[in-house]
Amino acid sequence: GLYGGSFDPVHDGHRHVEEKAFRRLRLDRVWWIVTPGNPLKTRAPADRLARLAAMREAVRHPAMEVTDIDAAIGARYTIETIRHLQGHCPGVRFVWIMGADSLAGFDRWRDWREIARRVPLAVVDRPGFTLPALSSRTARTFAASRINAAAADTLAEREPPAWVFLFGRRSNLSSTALRIQSSRPDDER
């Protein structure tokens, strides 16, 4: 599983998405890809090395690895990372993991159709994003490629495009809300 983002800051909502995908898809490993920045966001993330250190502290599971491959290969976009990994890891079957909030705006990602045609997508429900995600341009474009959540454990073996939407317990946490809360003076919290 490939789970990318700025993780600024990492929180239990991120771990919830990753753990649900890991368990439901029966993945061997998950690589958390800490991106240098998000081209769709105007705010620059916190220092990359600090985010990596925080991620490594938060993610302590033998099948999980925190990586900064985007920075190492100079990738700015997800498609560049996927192309690189597929070129350097032949025979490995990757799955892209994302929250429903990401699927809702996935059509704004560079080469989003190619991403969906290169790797299966695992989408974990997020509060407030169920309907926007399931009615998104991506969901409509790849409607025929959606598999039933009961078959989620077969996703990694399927030829893309293939995607699954995983319902269940959701986390209300968001990095944006946590950043806002941490920037308030103590007497306003």
Side-chain angles (χ1 to χ4, degrees):
L2 303 173
Y3 186 29
S6 53
F7 305 111
D8 183 27
V10 64
H11 54 72
D12 286 339
H14 294 128
R15 285 190 293 272
H16 170 76
V17 167
E18 170 272 322
E19 288 169 3
K20 180 174 279 193
F22 179 73
R23 188 179 66 255
R24 296 278 304 273
L25 277 56
R26 295 188 183 163
L27 299 173
D28 296 324
R29 300 192 60 72
V30 172
W31 292 347
W32 292 65
I33 302 171
V34 180
T35 61
N38 183 332
L40 296 177
K41 294 182 180 178
T42 56
R43 182 190 165 281
D47 177 72
R48 182 179 60 82
L49 295 178
R51 286 183 292 126
L52 278 166
M55 290 288 298
R56 289 186 174 120
E57 183 65 30
V59 178
R60 295 186 178 257
H61 187 288
M64 310 296 160
E65 182 176 342
V66 175
T67 175
D68 64 343
I69 189 166
D70 282 1
I73 66 171
R76 182 164 157 79
Y77 300 99
T78 299
I79 189 62
E80 295 168 339
T81 304
I82 291 171
R83 288 173 185 152
H84 175 86
L85 289 172
Q86 288 180 326
H88 286 80
C89 304
V92 176
R93 301 197 52 99
F94 294 105
V95 172
W96 187 262
I97 300 167
M98 69 174 88
D101 52 328
S102 293
L103 183 67
F106 191 63
D107 63 310
R108 295 175 45 222
W109 293 26
R110 164 108 12 125
D111 297 325
W112 62 278
R113 286 182 181 92
E114 183 181 347
I115 294 169
R117 288 186 177 109
R118 281 183 168 267
V119 292
L121 307 175
V123 183
V124 178
D125 199 8
R126 296 277 322 271
F129 288 96
T130 308
L131 293 177
L134 292 174
S135 62
S136 69
R137 183 175 178 193
T138 305
R140 291 189 317 271
T141 300
F142 293 104
S145 302
R146 181 178 173 194
I147 67 168
N148 188 294
D153 61 345
T154 68
L155 184 66
E157 300 304 319
R158 293 178 183 256
E159 285 301 316
W163 66 285
V164 65
F165 194 91
L166 301 174
F167 293 97
R169 186 181 68 79
R170 300 177 291 180
S171 172
N172 287 317
L173 293 174
S174 81
S175 292
T176 302
L178 290 172
R179 282 192 307 273
I180 291 169
Q181 183 180 26
S182 70
S183 68
R184 289 187 193 146
D186 286 336
D187 59 342
E188 290 182 23
R189 289 189 203 157

PDB file of all heavy atoms in Angstrom, residues 19 29 33 35 37-38 63 66 72 83-84 86 89 101 144 146 157 160:
ATOM      1  N   GLU A  19      -4.643   1.947   8.746  1.00  0.00           N
ATOM      2  CA  GLU A  19      -4.928   0.668   9.403  1.00  0.00           C
ATOM      3  C   GLU A  19      -6.124  -0.039   8.784  1.00  0.00           C
ATOM      4  O   GLU A  19      -6.116  -1.257   8.613  1.00  0.00           O
ATOM      5  CB  GLU A  19      -5.142   0.877  10.899  1.00  0.00           C
ATOM      6  CG  GLU A  19      -3.854   1.205  11.634  1.00  0.00           C
ATOM      7  CD  GLU A  19      -4.076   1.679  13.060  1.00  0.00           C
ATOM      8  OE1 GLU A  19      -5.250   1.715  13.530  1.00  0.00           O
ATOM      9  OE2 GLU A  19      -3.079   2.039  13.709  1.00  0.00           O
ATOM     10  N   ARG A  29       2.538  -4.766   3.228  1.00  0.00           N
ATOM     11  CA  ARG A  29       3.254  -3.599   3.760  1.00  0.00           C
ATOM     12  C   ARG A  29       2.494  -2.336   3.372  1.00  0.00           C
ATOM     13  O   ARG A  29       1.749  -2.336   2.396  1.00  0.00           O
ATOM     14  CB  ARG A  29       4.666  -3.503   3.170  1.00  0.00           C
ATOM     15  CG  ARG A  29       5.526  -4.712   3.471  1.00  0.00           C
ATOM     16  CD  ARG A  29       6.981  -4.505   3.137  1.00  0.00           C
ATOM     17  NE  ARG A  29       7.638  -3.418   3.843  1.00  0.00           N
ATOM     18  CZ  ARG A  29       7.971  -3.430   5.131  1.00  0.00           C
ATOM     19  NH1 ARG A  29       7.682  -4.475   5.865  1.00  0.00           N
ATOM     20  NH2 ARG A  29       8.595  -2.416   5.684  1.00  0.00           N
ATOM     21  N   ILE A  33       4.296   7.812   2.435  1.00  0.00           N
ATOM     22  CA  ILE A  33       5.133   8.680   1.613  1.00  0.00           C
ATOM     23  C   ILE A  33       4.917  10.124   2.064  1.00  0.00           C
ATOM     24  O   ILE A  33       3.875  10.720   1.799  1.00  0.00           O
ATOM     25  CB  ILE A  33       4.801   8.508   0.118  1.00  0.00           C
ATOM     26  CG1 ILE A  33       5.006   7.045  -0.294  1.00  0.00           C
ATOM     27  CG2 ILE A  33       5.646   9.459  -0.719  1.00  0.00           C
ATOM     28  CD1 ILE A  33       4.508   6.718  -1.683  1.00  0.00           C
ATOM     29  N   THR A  35       5.338  13.712   1.617  1.00  0.00           N
ATOM     30  CA  THR A  35       5.632  14.567   0.468  1.00  0.00           C
ATOM     31  C   THR A  35       6.287  15.880   0.908  1.00  0.00           C
ATOM     32  O   THR A  35       5.988  16.401   1.981  1.00  0.00           O
ATOM     33  CB  THR A  35       4.353  14.895  -0.313  1.00  0.00           C
ATOM     34  OG1 THR A  35       3.463  15.604   0.552  1.00  0.00           O
ATOM     35  CG2 THR A  35       3.677  13.644  -0.816  1.00  0.00           C
ATOM     36  N   GLY A  37       5.704  18.710  -0.374  1.00  0.00           N
ATOM     37  CA  GLY A  37       4.659  19.731  -0.417  1.00  0.00           C
ATOM     38  C   GLY A  37       3.526  19.261  -1.291  1.00  0.00           C
ATOM     39  O   GLY A  37       3.672  18.328  -2.060  1.00  0.00           O
ATOM     40  N   ASN A  38       2.381  19.893  -1.149  1.00  0.00           N
ATOM     41  CA  ASN A  38       1.207  19.538  -1.933  1.00  0.00           C
ATOM     42  C   ASN A  38       0.959  20.642  -2.953  1.00  0.00           C
ATOM     43  O   ASN A  38       0.656  21.771  -2.573  1.00  0.00           O
ATOM     44  CB  ASN A  38      -0.002  19.364  -1.014  1.00  0.00           C
ATOM     45  CG  ASN A  38      -1.248  18.934  -1.745  1.00  0.00           C
ATOM     46  OD1 ASN A  38      -1.428  19.223  -2.919  1.00  0.00           O
ATOM     47  ND2 ASN A  38      -2.124  18.250  -1.037  1.00  0.00           N
ATOM     48  N   ALA A  63       5.091  -3.707   9.675  1.00  0.00           N
ATOM     49  CA  ALA A  63       4.724  -3.740   8.260  1.00  0.00           C
ATOM     50  C   ALA A  63       4.549  -2.341   7.674  1.00  0.00           C
ATOM     51  O   ALA A  63       4.169  -2.197   6.524  1.00  0.00           O
ATOM     52  CB  ALA A  63       3.441  -4.547   8.065  1.00  0.00           C
ATOM     53  N   VAL A  66       7.902   4.533   6.973  1.00  0.00           N
ATOM     54  CA  VAL A  66       7.808   5.950   6.633  1.00  0.00           C
ATOM     55  C   VAL A  66       8.946   6.259   5.674  1.00  0.00           C
ATOM     56  O   VAL A  66      10.102   5.933   5.945  1.00  0.00           O
ATOM     57  CB  VAL A  66       7.911   6.830   7.900  1.00  0.00           C
ATOM     58  CG1 VAL A  66       7.936   8.306   7.527  1.00  0.00           C
ATOM     59  CG2 VAL A  66       6.752   6.520   8.850  1.00  0.00           C
ATOM     60  N   ALA A  72      13.598  12.161  -2.333  1.00  0.00           N
ATOM     61  CA  ALA A  72      14.789  11.458  -2.820  1.00  0.00           C
ATOM     62  C   ALA A  72      14.849  11.406  -4.350  1.00  0.00           C
ATOM     63  O   ALA A  72      15.930  11.509  -4.927  1.00  0.00           O
ATOM     64  CB  ALA A  72      14.836  10.048  -2.245  1.00  0.00           C
ATOM     65  N   ARG A  83       5.209   6.074 -11.173  1.00  0.00           N
ATOM     66  CA  ARG A  83       6.017   5.650 -12.333  1.00  0.00           C
ATOM     67  C   ARG A  83       7.389   5.150 -11.871  1.00  0.00           C
ATOM     68  O   ARG A  83       7.870   4.118 -12.348  1.00  0.00           O
ATOM     69  CB  ARG A  83       6.191   6.795 -13.317  1.00  0.00           C
ATOM     70  CG  ARG A  83       4.950   7.163 -14.094  1.00  0.00           C
ATOM     71  CD  ARG A  83       5.204   8.417 -14.916  1.00  0.00           C
ATOM     72  NE  ARG A  83       4.016   8.894 -15.588  1.00  0.00           N
ATOM     73  CZ  ARG A  83       3.810  10.168 -15.907  1.00  0.00           C
ATOM     74  NH1 ARG A  83       4.727  11.092 -15.633  1.00  0.00           N
ATOM     75  NH2 ARG A  83       2.701  10.523 -16.517  1.00  0.00           N
ATOM     76  N   HIS A  84       8.002   5.905 -10.967  1.00  0.00           N
ATOM     77  CA  HIS A  84       9.327   5.525 -10.464  1.00  0.00           C
ATOM     78  C   HIS A  84       9.271   4.160  -9.762  1.00  0.00           C
ATOM     79  O   HIS A  84      10.088   3.275 -10.041  1.00  0.00           O
ATOM     80  CB  HIS A  84       9.863   6.586  -9.503  1.00  0.00           C
ATOM     81  CG  HIS A  84      11.150   6.210  -8.863  1.00  0.00           C
ATOM     82  ND1 HIS A  84      12.372   6.449  -9.452  1.00  0.00           N
ATOM     83  CD2 HIS A  84      11.417   5.568  -7.690  1.00  0.00           C
ATOM     84  CE1 HIS A  84      13.324   5.978  -8.675  1.00  0.00           C
ATOM     85  NE2 HIS A  84      12.770   5.447  -7.593  1.00  0.00           N
ATOM     86  N   GLN A  86       7.039   1.737  -9.933  1.00  0.00           N
ATOM     87  CA  GLN A  86       6.732   0.632 -10.842  1.00  0.00           C
ATOM     88  C   GLN A  86       7.927   0.300 -11.733  1.00  0.00           C
ATOM     89  O   GLN A  86       8.145  -0.863 -12.053  1.00  0.00           O
ATOM     90  CB  GLN A  86       5.489   0.951 -11.673  1.00  0.00           C
ATOM     91  CG  GLN A  86       4.230   0.899 -10.838  1.00  0.00           C
ATOM     92  CD  GLN A  86       2.969   1.203 -11.617  1.00  0.00           C
ATOM     93  OE1 GLN A  86       2.969   2.008 -12.545  1.00  0.00           O
ATOM     94  NE2 GLN A  86       1.869   0.581 -11.216  1.00  0.00           N
ATOM     95  N   CYS A  89      10.526  -1.412  -9.153  1.00  0.00           N
ATOM     96  CA  CYS A  89      10.039  -2.547  -8.359  1.00  0.00           C
ATOM     97  C   CYS A  89       9.144  -3.433  -9.227  1.00  0.00           C
ATOM     98  O   CYS A  89       7.961  -3.615  -8.931  1.00  0.00           O
ATOM     99  CB  CYS A  89       9.272  -2.068  -7.139  1.00  0.00           C
ATOM    100  SG  CYS A  89      10.157  -0.956  -6.052  1.00  0.00           S
ATOM    101  N   ASP A 101     -11.892  12.312   1.295  1.00  0.00           N
ATOM    102  CA  ASP A 101     -11.679  13.721   0.973  1.00  0.00           C
ATOM    103  C   ASP A 101     -10.746  13.858  -0.230  1.00  0.00           C
ATOM    104  O   ASP A 101     -10.934  14.743  -1.072  1.00  0.00           O
ATOM    105  CB  ASP A 101     -11.140  14.483   2.177  1.00  0.00           C
ATOM    106  CG  ASP A 101      -9.912  13.837   2.819  1.00  0.00           C
ATOM    107  OD1 ASP A 101      -9.787  12.599   2.809  1.00  0.00           O
ATOM    108  OD2 ASP A 101      -9.068  14.585   3.353  1.00  0.00           O
ATOM    109  N   ALA A 144     -17.504   1.805 -13.441  1.00  0.00           N
ATOM    110  CA  ALA A 144     -17.523   0.383 -13.817  1.00  0.00           C
ATOM    111  C   ALA A 144     -16.362  -0.395 -13.194  1.00  0.00           C
ATOM    112  O   ALA A 144     -16.379  -1.626 -13.172  1.00  0.00           O
ATOM    113  CB  ALA A 144     -17.483   0.239 -15.334  1.00  0.00           C
ATOM    114  N   ARG A 146     -15.366   0.029  -9.976  1.00  0.00           N
ATOM    115  CA  ARG A 146     -15.517  -0.067  -8.515  1.00  0.00           C
ATOM    116  C   ARG A 146     -15.895  -1.482  -8.129  1.00  0.00           C
ATOM    117  O   ARG A 146     -16.777  -2.095  -8.741  1.00  0.00           O
ATOM    118  CB  ARG A 146     -16.587   0.912  -8.040  1.00  0.00           C
ATOM    119  CG  ARG A 146     -16.773   0.893  -6.534  1.00  0.00           C
ATOM    120  CD  ARG A 146     -17.797   1.906  -6.096  1.00  0.00           C
ATOM    121  NE  ARG A 146     -18.076   1.754  -4.679  1.00  0.00           N
ATOM    122  CZ  ARG A 146     -19.108   2.323  -4.078  1.00  0.00           C
ATOM    123  NH1 ARG A 146     -19.947   3.084  -4.763  1.00  0.00           N
ATOM    124  NH2 ARG A 146     -19.299   2.134  -2.790  1.00  0.00           N
ATOM    125  N   GLU A 157      -4.741  -7.634  -6.255  1.00  0.00           N
ATOM    126  CA  GLU A 157      -4.543  -8.600  -7.343  1.00  0.00           C
ATOM    127  C   GLU A 157      -5.270  -8.211  -8.627  1.00  0.00           C
ATOM    128  O   GLU A 157      -5.073  -8.842  -9.661  1.00  0.00           O
ATOM    129  CB  GLU A 157      -5.008  -9.993  -6.902  1.00  0.00           C
ATOM    130  CG  GLU A 157      -4.269 -10.523  -5.687  1.00  0.00           C
ATOM    131  CD  GLU A 157      -2.759 -10.556  -5.892  1.00  0.00           C
ATOM    132  OE1 GLU A 157      -2.300 -10.932  -6.986  1.00  0.00           O
ATOM    133  OE2 GLU A 157      -2.036 -10.184  -4.955  1.00  0.00           O
ATOM    134  N   PRO A 160      -5.691  -2.652 -12.742  1.00  0.00           N
ATOM    135  CA  PRO A 160      -6.311  -1.326 -12.733  1.00  0.00           C
ATOM    136  C   PRO A 160      -6.866  -0.980 -14.113  1.00  0.00           C
ATOM    137  O   PRO A 160      -6.374  -1.522 -15.095  1.00  0.00           O
ATOM    138  CB  PRO A 160      -5.172  -0.395 -12.343  1.00  0.00           C
ATOM    139  CG  PRO A 160      -3.926  -1.189 -12.325  1.00  0.00           C
ATOM    140  CD  PRO A 160      -4.270  -2.626 -12.529  1.00  0.00           C
TER     141      PRO A 160
END
